[in-house]
Amino acid sequence: MKIAYKTLDDVNVAGKRVLLRVDLNVPVKNGLVTDTMRIDRIVPTVQELKKKGARIILLSHFGRPKGKIVREMSLRPVLRPLQSALGGESLVFSEDCIGPPAEQASKRLKDGEVALFENLRFHGGEERNDPVFARALAASGQIYVNDAFAAAHRAHASVAAITKFLPSVAGRLMQAELVTLERILESPERPLAAIIGGAKISTKLELLGNLTSKVNLLVIGGGMANTFLDAAGIEVGASMCERRMADEANRITMVAKQNNCEIVLPVDAVVAGQLAANTRTVTVPINKVPKQGMILDIGPESVKVIEAKLAECKSLVWNGPMCAFETPPFDAGTTAVAHAVARLTRVKKLISVAGGGDTVAALSKAGVIGDFTYVSTAGGAFLEWIEGKELPGITALSGK
Ligand code: ADP
Ligand code: MG
């Protein structure tokens, strides 16, 4: 869906206080940031604003503190990696994103300097899209720039309501995400394939239904595949599976047929009695899953089938891992498919786009991020964009 929005080319930011909404919701373990992709990807916007002499205030949410101050969900651990991503200069940190601390921090800023404000979601008004909270946020700035594509599907105060109070434009990352997704998916080179996996079965079923009218090939993996296998009468044992969604799964299979969209399901599986690292596994044809077993990965035959099908396609969108990739050896299937996609992309046979928190983590683990045509910082927003749904964060930038 194409929506007109303004960009950094349409505003004069020199000497102005710019509120830059970013998504710094990065994975943190024991106080350390474990993946910096979301930080690295906002650097071009921040550098451009610095060069133009703006005073930059970074706004972000982190985790789900639900309107309360939760120390473990402070944005403080992000400060140091952010600092090094921006070339080592020191940043101003404000303990609160509104009120006197925010006011003081924003007043202290000189042209080209950067401040980070504390977690937006420490205030309940953020998720409620509260105009009073949005106005308090807006008080620190003169121009609003949204670079948080990953949060664009949420109608939250720092994404939607704030645009009522300040001139509002899209940042360079937001632009890159939208332009790239539009270029590849508005009129994609066909055949177009989608790989959809992961765990959010019920929510992604709707997506699958919508996708069958957009893609030529739909590879279903992960926990979601089990729901389709079960619906087709195949025993999935103790696997992750939503049995009550069987009718819905069969309906999607029928709609796919009508739309000439080929569905590919796993033909074999790696099965274990429990989800645990280096536990005993068996690899079986998909119709031989033991009653007590859990499907935790696609097997080598499935990888071969997927690879052969993708070799016939020209474009690919991928969200959701094929397996429980966090726990070895169940990462093997996702890694093998990732390498196949990387290879096809490198030899220019495939245009490949992937997105989703866990998906990106899996691709990163496989070491193939750089080989993909494009990796989106977004999960939910990426999916809703593909579905053709309206994204509140983008609509807000259009002034409608
Ligand atoms: P994303 O964050 O990329 O949108 P999801 O959150 O939907 O993806 O799904 C990722 C999760 O799905 C991972 O934690 C992975 O372990 C899990 N998963 C995938 N396949 C299986 C499976 N067969 N059994 C159990 N968990 C699975
Ligand atoms: Mg996830």
Side-chain angles (χ1 to χ4, degrees), residues 200 356-359:
K200 298 168 200 156
D358 292 304
T359 307

Side-chain angles (χ1 to χ4, degrees), residues 108-385:
R108 257 175 60 197
L109 279 182
K110 298 196 185 71
D111 293 359
E113 288 185 348
V114 184
L116 172 65
F117 280 10
E118 185 54 288
N119 194 347
L120 293 158
R121 290 189 185 166
F122 283 178
H123 292 271
E126 165 65 358
E127 296 196 55
R128 283 199 312 271
N129 202 21
D130 177 6
V132 176
F133 175 68
R135 187 196 290 269
L137 269 182
S140 293
Q142 296 161 292
I143 293 173
Y144 169 77
V145 179
N146 189 348
D147 225 8
F149 177 64
H153 59 316
R154 308 250 184 253
H156 291 172
S158 67
V159 172
I162 193 168
T163 62
K164 298 268 187 283
F165 302 102
L166 293 173
S168 303
V169 304
R172 297 303 183 202
L173 172 58
M174 176 72 90
Q175 252 184 297
E177 295 270 17
L178 291 170
V179 167
T180 310
L181 291 177
E182 264 159 27
R183 174 165 55 82
I184 298 171
L185 298 174
E186 283 294 324
S187 48
E189 284 197 51
R190 288 184 183 272
L192 165 64
I195 301 179
I196 304 290
K200 298 168 200 156
I201 302 174
S202 330
T203 51
K204 286 189 188 173
L205 272 181
E206 190 196 337
L207 164 84
L208 286 179
N210 293 340
L211 273 185
T212 57
S213 65
K214 307 218 154 127
V215 305
N216 308 99
L217 176 76
L218 184 54
V219 177
I220 304 176
M224 202 151 17
N226 302 336
T227 300
F228 279 79
L229 294 167
D230 168 69
I234 292 168
E235 173 68 55
V236 296
S239 306
M240 170 190 284
C241 171
E242 282 188 314
R243 296 207 153 73
R244 62 189 173 82
M245 301 306 281
D247 289 347
E248 180 61 13
N250 286 329
R251 191 191 64 83
I252 291 167
T253 307
M254 252 176 50
V255 173
K257 264 203 193 102
Q258 286 161 5
N259 289 331
N260 269 327
C261 167
E262 185 186 355
I263 290 188
V264 172
L265 288 167
V267 294
D268 61 347
V270 180
V271 175
Q274 54 172 351
L275 175 53
N278 305 314
T279 185
R280 212 175 67 88
T281 67
V282 284
T283 301
V284 294
I286 204 66
N287 56 3
K288 295 265 155 52
V289 174
K291 263 211 154 62
Q292 317 299 327
M294 289 166 77
I295 302 174
L296 293 168
D297 196 4
I298 56 173
E301 290 306 315
S302 305
V303 173
K304 270 189 212 156
V305 170
I306 294 170
E307 191 168 357
K309 295 279 179 194
L310 290 180
E312 293 166 13
C313 292
K314 291 207 164 134
S315 317
L316 166 73
V317 292
W318 182 351
N319 172 266
M322 293 292 94
C323 47
F325 75 96
E326 298 94 337
T327 315
F330 306 113
D331 53 340
T334 303
T335 299
V337 175
H339 282 148
V341 172
R343 206 160 40 239
L344 288 167
T345 311
R346 276 200 305 268
V347 298
K348 306 248 181 287
K349 285 196 168 154
L350 194 67
I351 292 167
S352 52
V353 185
D358 292 304
T359 307
V360 171
L363 297 183
S364 181
K365 200 170 172 191
V368 298
I369 294 273
D371 290 319
F372 275 57
T373 310
Y374 190 69
V375 176
S376 175
T377 52
F382 168 74
L383 291 180
E384 292 193 20
W385 189 92

